[in-house]
Amino acid sequence: MKNRNITGTVLSLIYCFVLYAILSDAPPGKLPEHPLWVDTMIPFGATVITFLFNYVIKFDFFKKKK
């Protein structure tokens, strides 16, 4: 797809990094404890954000239409 929405891609990458930081946060010396389905939130959320910006919102902050 040559007309990818750059705003959706950037927001989904930011979402992935922030959610990973939140999920991997634990007290020193302990492993993070959360259910296994929480790990699927990262790719699922990134896919939803990209889909919304490509097909529903269609606003691209980085590519200005002339």
Side-chain angles (χ1 to χ4, degrees):
M1 184 176 184
K2 61 181 176 181
N3 292 329
R4 296 285 304 213
N5 194 321
I6 297 173
T7 304
T9 305
V10 169
L11 283 178
S12 65
L13 284 172
I14 292 171
Y15 169 82
C16 288
F17 287 123
V18 169
L19 193 61
Y20 176 76
I22 291 171
L23 292 178
S24 64
D25 188 30
K30 292 192 174 186
L31 294 174
E33 296 178 15
H34 53 77
L36 291 176
W37 62 267
V38 175
D39 291 331
T40 62
M41 297 283 291
I42 295 174
F44 181 70
T47 304
V48 168
I49 291 171
T50 306
F51 175 80
L52 284 175
F53 272 90
N54 280 335
Y55 299 108
V56 177
I57 298 173
K58 295 182 182 178
F59 174 75
D60 198 351
F61 183 73
F62 296 103
K63 289 183 188 174
K64 300 284 184 177
K65 291 188 177 181
K66 296 177 182 177

